[in-house]
Amino acid sequence: MCRHGPRRRAVGVSRSRRDFLRAAGGLLGAGLLADVLAAPGMADDAMPGMPMRTTAARLAAPNVPLVNPAMLARFVDTLPLPTRARPVGRREHPAWPGRLLPCYRMEMRAFAARLHRDLPPTPQWGYAGSTPGPTIEVERGEPVLVEWANALPARHFLTIDHTVHGAERDKPEVRAVTHVHGARVPADSDGWPEDWYVPGRSALSRYPNAQDAATLWYHDHAMGITRLNIYAGLYGAWLVRDAQERALGLPSGDCELPLFLCDRLIGRDGQLYYPVSDDPAAPWVMQCQGNAVLCNGKLFPYLEVEPRRYRLRLLNVANSSFFELALTHGLVFRQIGSDQGLLPAPVERTRITLYPAERADVVVDFAGLAGQRVQLQLHGGGILEFRVGDRGRRDDSALPAHLRPVPRLDIAKAHDRVLTLGEVDDAGGNALRMLLDGKRWSDPVSERPHAGSVETWSFVNLSGDAHPVHLHLVRFQVLERRPFDLFAWNARRELKYSGPAQPPPPHEAGWKDTVRADPGMVTRIAVRFEGEPGRYVWHCHLLEHEDNEMMRPYELLPG
Ligand code: C2O
Ligand code: CU
C-alpha cells in the first residue's frame, strides 16, 4: 500500500540517502512550517475552530477485507478499448464567429463494472458511464466545444477530508470540473480547480487544438477531491492528430490503442477502497498505492493481436505510483513520443518508467511471434497479455528513423525561477504535507510569466521523494538534473551544486508537460509561455500532494 521503497529505488536513492534527507528535511520542515504559520493570509485561511495538525497521521489498516490480486486467474478478460466520442451536434462560439464547431457532450455518471471475471461489479464514476471515458480525437488547428456535464450522485462514495483546503464542510460533497491535461486552452476552459460544479450542472469549454499531435488526457480537477474523483474513474484520452504525424504512416486503426494504467485497492465485495489515515477527522494520506493494476479498467486482461506492428499509447493515470514497464520474449519498445507528441527519432527501450500523468507513445512489433503469448510486465509481474495470432493482414505501417524535429528553446535571455519542492514535517520527521516554493494554494500569485516569453524553472527538490511536476497550458523541454548541497540550501538558501549536470536521456528530449523532479536534485526545464493571458495552475501530479497544497496558481500576463 503506502510503500516508500519502490519509488526511491526507481530514482536510485538508497535507504541511507533517504534517511539522510529525512533527517535534513526535519530541520527544514520546522523552518518551513514556521514560514507557513507566519505567512500573511494564513490567519484568514485557517478555518475557525479547525486546529492545524502538528503530527503526521499514519495509514490506517483497511476496515474491509481486500482482494489479493495474486489469487485471481490471469488473463481471462479481454482488454477494454475506449469508444470514440462522437459530436452531438455543431454549434457556434463567440470566439470563432460564423463557424459551426463540433460539439461533444460528456456526462459524468455512476456505473458498475467488473474489474475481473471473478470479482463482483465495482461501483465507479466515469465519463459517459465508462472508465476510461470515450476518446476524443481532434485535428490540430480545428477547434471543438465540449459540454462537461456533472450527472453524478449527490453523495461521494470515497472519504473526503474536510481539513483539506477547498474541501471544507461547507462545500458540496460531489463537485467536478474537467481539465484536459496538456491542452493549450484559454484560461476560462482550462478547468480551474475552484470552478467546480455540482450534479445537475455542466460547463461548456472551448478547445482551439492549436498544438502538435500528442497523447493528451482529460480528467477531473476539483479542488481538494481530485484524488478521489480520479480514483473513482473520471479520466479518458484526448488525442490530437496532425498531417505531419499522419504522413509518417505509423500503425493506425485497430493497431493503435491507448493503455491507461492505474493501481487500485479493491474490497472483496467489489467496492474500491481508498486508503485513509488513522485520524477519522483528517483521513488524507500522503500517498495512495494499490496492489491491483488496471489496464483500461480491467485487472489482468488480454488482447488478441496480429503478428505485426502496433502503436500503444501508455498513460500513467495512477494517483501516486510510478510504473516500470517491460515486455517478455525479448521484445523492446520503440518509443516514438512522450507527453507532448513525437520525439525527434524513435528510441529503443527495454524498460519504460512512467510517473503519474506521464505518457509514452510506443511501437511494439509482434512480427515473428505468431502463436506466442507476450506479457506486458510491471515491476516484473505480468499485467496484460498479448495473444499473437497465427496470421494477419499485411503490415504496411512504417516506423521512420526521423519523426519530428524538436528545436531546442533559446534560453540565452530566459528569466530563471528557482522554486522549491518541500515537505512540511512534524517533530518526528514525518511529512505533514508538501508545498511548492514554501507557499500554499491561497498565497498570492508569484509566478507571472509574459505571453511569448521563454523562462527556465529550476525545481529544487528538498523532500525525500520524486515529484512529477506539471504545468498547465504549456509544453516544455527538460534541460538537466543536477545534484545540490541540501545543507547549504538549508543554512543559507544558497544553491550550491554538488555534482555535474545530467542531460535528459533521449526519451526526454521531446516536448513534455510533466517532469519527474528527483530528490536531492535541481530539475531544470525551459518553457515558452504561449497562450491566452489568464490564470492557470502548476502542481505536483501525485494527486494526494496536489489536493493538499502542492498546487499553485500562475498568471500568464499579456506579451
Ligand atoms: Cu493532469 Cu492539473 O493536471
Ligand atoms: Cu508531490
Side-chain angles (χ1 to χ4, degrees), residues 7 286 421 434 436 463 465-469 539-546 550:
R7 166 167 304 142
M286 181 72 71
L421 316 179
M434 302 282 175
L436 295 172
S463 79
D465 288 298
H467 303 268
V469 180
H539 59 88
C540 174
H541 221 289
L542 302 183
L543 303 180
E544 284 61 38
H545 295 185
E546 167 183 348
M550 206 173 192

Side-chain angles (χ1 to χ4, degrees), residues 7 177-183 190-191 193 215-222 225-231 234-236 260-264 274 284-289 315-323 339-340 354-359 421 434-436 459 461 465-474 476 512-517 537-552:
R7 166 167 304 142
V177 55
T178 305
H179 165 64
V180 180
H181 182 119
D190 191 44
T215 308
L216 313 184
W217 59 298
Y218 59 87
H219 60 74
D220 185 71
H221 218 301
I225 52 169
T226 296
R227 68 194 185 290
L228 306 176
N229 287 353
I230 293 182
Y231 197 82
L234 289 171
Y235 60 83
F260 286 92
L261 305 175
C262 64
D263 54 346
R264 296 290 184 264
Y274 183 87
W284 175 85
V285 288
M286 181 72 71
Q287 294 179 31
C288 161
Q289 279 163 344
L315 301 98
N316 182 344
V317 298
N319 280 42
S320 48
S321 297
F322 75 90
F323 297 134
D339 305 343
Q340 284 282 325
L354 289 177
Y355 270 69
E358 284 191 307
R359 286 88 76 203
L421 316 179
M434 302 282 175
L435 296 178
L436 295 172
F459 304 117
N461 190 345
D465 288 298
H467 303 268
V469 180
H470 169 49
L471 275 69
H472 283 206
L473 179 72
V474 293
F476 55 73
K512 296 273 293 166
D513 59 40
T514 306
V515 64
R516 188 192 80 245
V537 305
W538 67 286
H539 59 88
C540 174
H541 221 289
L542 302 183
L543 303 180
E544 284 61 38
H545 295 185
E546 167 183 348
D547 266 351
N548 196 359
E549 302 290 355
M550 206 173 192
M551 175 164 73
R552 289 279 298 151

Side-chain angles (χ1 to χ4, degrees), residues 43-330:
D44 327 322
D45 253 21
M47 295 284 291
M50 188 191 283
M52 206 199 299
R53 275 202 84 96
T54 51
T55 56
R58 295 187 179 280
L59 190 69
N63 57 354
V64 291
L66 297 179
V67 168
N68 175 2
M71 307 301 284
L72 290 171
R74 309 229 158 178
F75 316 125
V76 293
D77 293 287
T78 56
L79 176 78
L81 295 173
T83 58
R84 181 170 172 187
R86 300 271 162 213
V88 289
R90 295 195 157 248
R91 202 157 147 173
E92 247 195 294
H93 190 283
W96 295 278
R99 278 180 76 173
L100 283 176
L101 307 175
C103 183
Y104 296 81
R105 188 167 193 279
M106 295 290 253
E107 201 172 79
M108 303 163 221
R109 288 198 296 269
F111 68 100
R114 279 180 210 279
L115 305 182
H116 183 275
R117 182 194 66 189
D118 299 330
L119 293 178
T122 295
Q124 296 167 79
W125 288 358
Y127 292 91
S130 64
T131 182
T135 301
I136 296 188
E137 286 189 32
V138 299
E139 188 68 21
R140 178 189 171 133
E142 292 184 11
V144 302
L145 306 174
V146 183
E147 184 189 358
W148 303 101
N150 182 346
L152 296 168
R155 303 299 305 266
H156 214 298
F157 68 97
L158 300 172
T159 311
I160 294 172
D161 185 329
H162 295 291
T163 68
V164 164
H165 182 88
E168 297 83 2
R169 282 195 191 280
D170 62 346
K171 305 286 188 305
E173 219 169 85
V174 176
R175 304 174 277 118
V177 55
T178 305
H179 165 64
V180 180
H181 182 119
R184 188 193 291 175
V185 289
D188 62 14
S189 294
D190 191 44
W192 179 255
E194 289 170 336
D195 285 348
W196 46 261
Y197 41 93
V198 296
R201 298 293 182 108
S202 65
L204 183 71
S205 301
R206 56 180 170 129
Y207 301 92
N209 301 314
Q211 61 189 109
D212 289 346
T215 308
L216 313 184
W217 59 298
Y218 59 87
H219 60 74
D220 185 71
H221 218 301
M223 195 76 196
I225 52 169
T226 296
R227 68 194 185 290
L228 306 176
N229 287 353
I230 293 182
Y231 197 82
L234 289 171
Y235 60 83
W238 181 290
L239 305 181
V240 184
R241 300 192 180 276
D242 65 25
Q244 201 180 348
E245 185 185 276
R246 203 171 287 115
L248 296 174
L250 296 165
S252 61
D254 54 6
C255 295
E256 178 199 358
L257 49 124
L259 273 184
F260 286 92
L261 305 175
C262 64
D263 54 346
R264 296 290 184 264
L265 294 163
I266 309 160
R268 290 210 201 121
D269 57 359
Q271 303 273 338
L272 289 179
Y273 175 79
Y274 183 87
V276 290
S277 79
D278 60 356
D279 179 357
W284 175 85
V285 288
M286 181 72 71
Q287 294 179 31
C288 161
Q289 279 163 344
N291 56 3
V293 176
L294 305 182
C295 299
N296 292 354
K298 278 280 182 205
L299 193 45
F300 304 129
Y302 71 88
L303 178 72
E304 285 176 355
V305 297
E306 297 172 18
R308 51 164 292 160
R309 280 190 208 104
Y310 277 74
R311 177 181 185 183
L312 309 175
R313 299 175 188 252
L314 308 169
L315 301 98
N316 182 344
V317 298
N319 280 42
S320 48
S321 297
F322 75 90
F323 297 134
E324 190 185 273
L325 304 163
L327 295 160
T328 56
H329 294 71

